[in-house]
């Protein structure tokens, strides 16, 4: 920047000097021309005067009068142009004086001619006074022309020197600019490389992060699958134990009580009490069945996912009074426990949510085949889930449905429209070998 400023300043100064010297050169040229012009005017005046003296015809005086009129103006111009050169100033003073003398001489002879005093004219010519003045004038004009020429050459030299300075300045400026451009390009290239490196590093870091996230998600999915399986196994174990131990105990208690009732008379005072205990045992058996069914529905293991969904829907309808329809592509579909449990638990959570939030009038549960995929769909016509509201961290139903689907590499979706219900869909590709 500083270099450029200095170079520009120098160039501007040199240009100014160049313009000035060009003006001087022009002035010297004009001075040379003016000296020449003054000489020609004087010669023209002499020729006219001579013609008049010889013929007496006044038309010959026309170039003389023109020269006399113009010469003053030319001298004035010459004075202005040479005012700064003392040698020319003094030369011009001599020339002016000689010109005045010469014109005065010519004027005198012309007047003599007008008066027809040819003798006096002859005397004057013979005196060679005019020739002497004219020779001196020619000499003075020649001197001035020579001085003008010398000055012209001096100024031309100065002009050439200035031109050289400007050229040099221009070259320096050009050099600086080329250097700056090269420097700029090098800097830009370096910057570009740095950015490229940064982007590449960021991309690599992003790719690593994405991979880490993917690996961690897969691990978590695997873990959640494992935990769900554990949970299902635990539930099955508890259900079996309740069935075997509690069931056996209750059955034994009922048989013993029946034996006791048979042993005492029907009208015995303890019979109503025995009947109440019997009713209590029956209630305990029903409760045991309900607990077992909720832990691990026997219908799922014995009849398969279709009937299990139907049983679940029937339970929902009878409990909440909301009609629940089941649509199945295959009534007798048998799936391996992983798949049937996943569908069953997702339907269970969806129906629980409908009972809690939907205020639905109708519910439809369907299990349909789309190519190799089986799609479980639970649709209600209730208030509709608002998927835009942030996830409540203490709510696990939807998250666990999604996790169950993911554990089987399935696709889960939940969509709701305000006032038009909620639809949950789980699509799972079922390997034919996974079917029971
Ligand atoms: N069928 C539905 N209709 C309307 N809103 C629903 C429906 N299902 C779920 N929601 C909304 O989605 C939210 C999340 O459901 P989610 O099952 O994850 O949690 P939760 O039922 O509140 O708790 P949790 O299931 O852990 O006991 C619910 O709080 C409810 O506002
Ligand atoms: Mg829930």
């Amino acid at each position: 920047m500083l270099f450029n400023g200095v170079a520009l300043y120098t160039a501007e100064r040199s240009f100014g000097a160049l313009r000035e010297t060009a003006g001087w050169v022009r002035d010297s040229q004009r001075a040379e021309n003016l000296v020449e012009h003054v000489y020609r005017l004087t010669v023209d005046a002499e020729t006219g005067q001579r013609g008049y003296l010889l013929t007496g015809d006044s038309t010959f005086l026309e170039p003389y009068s023109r020269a006399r009129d113009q010469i003053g103006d030319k001298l004035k111009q010459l004075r202005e142009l040479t005012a700064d050169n003392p040698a020319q100033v003094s030369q011009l003073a001599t020339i002016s004086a000689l010109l005045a003398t010469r014109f005065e001489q010519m004027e005198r002879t012309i007047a003599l001619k007008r008066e027809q005093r040819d003798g006096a004219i002859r005397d004057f010519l013979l005196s060679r006074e005019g020739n002497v003045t004219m020779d001196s004038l020619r000499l003075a004009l020649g001197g001035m022309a020579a001085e003008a020429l010398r000055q012209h050459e001096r100024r031309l030299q100065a002009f050439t020197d200035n031109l050289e300075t400007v050229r040099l300045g221009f070259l320096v400026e050009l050099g600086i600019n080329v250097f700056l451009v090269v420097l700029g390009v090098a800097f830009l290239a370096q910057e570009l490389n740095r950015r490229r490196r940064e982007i590449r590093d960021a991309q690599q870091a992003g790719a690593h992060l994405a991979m880490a996230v993917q690996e961690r998600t897969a691990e978590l999915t695997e873990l959640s699958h494992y935990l769900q399986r554990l949970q299902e196994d635990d539930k099955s174990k508890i259900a079996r134990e309740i069935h075997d131990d509690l069931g056996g105990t209750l059955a034994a208690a009922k048989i013993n009580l029946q034996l006791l009732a048979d042993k005492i008379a029907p009208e015995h005072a303890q019979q109503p009490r025995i009947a109440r205990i019997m009713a209590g045992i029956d209630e305990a058996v029903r409760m045991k069945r309900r607990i077992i069914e909720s832990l691990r529905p026997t219908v799922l293991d014995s009849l398969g996912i279709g009937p299990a969904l139907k049983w679940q829907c029937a339970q929902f309808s009878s409990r909440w009074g909301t009609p629940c329809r089941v649509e199945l592509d295959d009534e007798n579909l048998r799936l391996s426990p992983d798949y049937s449990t996943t569908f069953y638990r997702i339907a269970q959570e969806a129906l629980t949510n409908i009972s809690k939030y939907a205020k639905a009038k109708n519910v439809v549960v369907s299990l349909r085949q789309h190519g190799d995929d089986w799609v479980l769909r639970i649709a209600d016509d209730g208030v509709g889930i608002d998927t835009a509201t942030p996830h409540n961290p203490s709510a696990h139903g939807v998250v666990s449905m999604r996790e169950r689907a993911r554990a089987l590499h399935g696709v889960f979706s939940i969509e709701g429209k305000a006032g038009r219900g909620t639809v949950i869909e789980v699509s799972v590709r079922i390997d034919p070998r996974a079917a029971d």
Side-chain angles (χ1 to χ4, degrees):
M1 246 345 235
L2 188 71
F3 276 135
N4 255 333
V6 171
L8 268 176
Y9 175 72
T10 316
E12 185 52 37
R13 281 199 58 176
S14 306
F15 268 124
L18 199 63
R19 247 195 315 273
E20 205 177 356
T21 40
W24 289 348
V25 171
R26 236 185 353 261
D27 287 354
S28 314
Q29 182 85 55
R30 277 179 62 208
E32 262 183 86
N33 291 342
L34 278 169
V35 171
E36 172 71 23
H37 201 154
V38 167
Y39 178 67
R40 257 190 291 110
L41 283 175
T42 318
V43 171
D44 286 355
E46 265 199 328
T47 313
Q49 174 239 15
R50 237 177 254 133
Y52 178 67
L53 291 185
L54 284 174
T55 61
D57 183 351
S58 60
T59 53
F60 279 101
L61 285 179
E62 195 269 325
Y64 168 80
S65 317
R66 192 163 16 97
R68 196 193 46 206
D69 292 347
Q70 288 183 6
I71 210 118
D73 185 42
K74 299 295 168 202
L75 282 177
K76 185 167 165 262
Q77 287 179 26
L78 249 179
R79 208 166 289 121
E80 280 168 11
L81 282 175
T82 57
D84 58 343
N85 184 331
Q88 286 183 319
V89 169
S90 87
Q91 281 172 330
L92 195 59
T94 312
I95 289 166
S96 298
L98 286 169
L99 273 173
T101 309
R102 187 62 195 121
F103 270 88
E104 184 273 319
Q105 289 166 346
M106 286 191 278
E107 194 66 48
R108 197 157 15 114
T109 52
I110 290 166
L112 289 173
K113 183 65 186 177
R114 279 202 194 99
E115 293 161 13
Q116 296 180 342
R117 292 168 60 192
D118 286 348
I121 294 173
R122 196 163 161 273
D123 289 347
F124 175 78
L125 289 175
L126 282 175
S127 73
R128 307 194 67 81
E129 200 183 319
N131 295 31
V132 172
T133 313
M134 195 57 195
D135 286 347
S136 308
L137 185 63
R138 208 174 282 119
L139 219 65
L141 282 171
M144 187 155 186
E147 176 56 28
L149 187 66
R150 270 197 302 281
Q151 189 169 34
H152 184 178
E153 274 165 3
R154 273 200 308 276
R155 287 177 172 179
L156 207 59
Q157 187 56 48
F159 177 79
T160 315
D161 290 350
N162 272 337
L163 198 65
E164 197 53 32
T165 313
V166 168
R167 197 176 74 92
L168 209 70
F170 177 73
L171 284 179
V172 169
E173 167 101 346
L174 191 72
I176 289 171
N177 277 329
V178 167
F179 173 71
L180 288 178
V181 166
V182 169
L183 209 68
V185 167
F187 175 74
L188 277 181
Q190 204 182 19
E191 189 64 14
L192 208 67
N193 272 341
R194 194 178 62 78
R195 289 262 166 86
R196 275 207 198 109
R197 255 198 322 274
E198 274 176 14
I199 290 172
R200 205 182 44 230
D201 291 352
Q203 277 170 347
Q204 273 173 2
H208 282 144
L209 198 68
M211 207 180 286
V213 168
Q214 216 170 8
E215 280 170 10
R216 196 49 49 87
T217 309
E219 280 171 19
L220 287 175
T221 303
E222 188 57 37
L223 183 66
S224 117
H225 192 193
Y226 171 71
L227 290 175
Q228 277 163 11
R229 225 190 245 150
L230 265 186
Q231 206 182 28
E232 290 299 331
D233 287 352
D234 280 353
K235 280 182 182 175
S236 296
K237 208 168 129 200
I238 295 167
R240 240 185 347 262
E241 276 173 9
I242 290 176
H243 178 267
D244 296 350
D245 294 352
L246 187 65
T249 310
L250 287 174
K254 195 174 171 184
I255 290 167
N256 283 330
L257 198 63
Q258 191 59 53
L259 286 174
L260 184 67
D262 290 347
K263 284 230 165 92
I264 55 175
E267 59 284 341
H268 192 278
Q270 293 303 324
Q271 280 297 3
R273 178 164 294 182
I274 290 172
R276 278 202 301 280
I277 295 171
M278 192 71 88
I281 292 173
D282 284 345
E283 181 52 38
V285 168
R286 276 196 297 278
M287 198 186 292
K288 176 212 74 177
R289 279 207 195 109
R290 271 207 308 279
I291 291 170
I292 290 173
E293 287 303 313
S294 72
L295 282 169
R296 177 78 197 172
T298 47
V299 66
L300 186 60
D301 294 331
S302 53
L303 298 176
I305 183 67
L309 289 175
K310 280 186 169 171
W311 176 82
Q312 206 174 41
C313 251
Q315 291 282 310
F316 172 86
S317 287
S318 75
R319 190 150 179 212
W320 304 107
T322 309
C324 178
R325 197 170 75 242
V326 178
E327 296 171 357
L328 301 168
D329 269 1
D330 181 357
E331 295 266 350
N332 303 312
L333 177 68
R334 300 302 297 230
L335 298 171
S336 70
D338 263 1
Y339 291 89
S340 58
T341 307
T342 297
F343 283 148
Y344 184 85
R345 292 295 182 207
I346 289 175
Q348 191 177 38
E349 172 61 21
L351 288 174
T352 306
N353 278 351
I354 290 171
S355 71
K356 285 203 286 189
Y357 312 111
K359 301 190 184 104
K361 292 198 172 57
N362 289 287
V363 178
V364 179
V365 177
S366 63
L367 185 58
R368 298 195 176 283
Q369 189 168 20
H370 291 175
D372 287 345
D373 296 342
W374 280 88
V375 181
L376 173 71
R377 189 170 187 273
I378 305 105
D380 69 66
D381 57 358
V383 295
I385 187 172
D386 179 9
T387 43
T389 53
H391 172 67
N392 172 4
S394 65
H396 302 108
V398 173
V399 175
S400 88
M401 286 194 262
R402 197 184 298 278
E403 271 309 308
R404 281 181 187 277
R406 204 204 300 268
L408 298 182
H409 308 290
V411 180
F412 173 86
S413 73
I414 180 162
E415 258 178 58
K417 282 202 183 99
R420 291 171 63 187
T422 303
V423 175
I424 288 175
E425 266 191 8
V426 189
S427 172
V428 179
R429 178 146 304 183
I430 295 184
D431 184 346
R433 281 167 301 175
D436 259 0

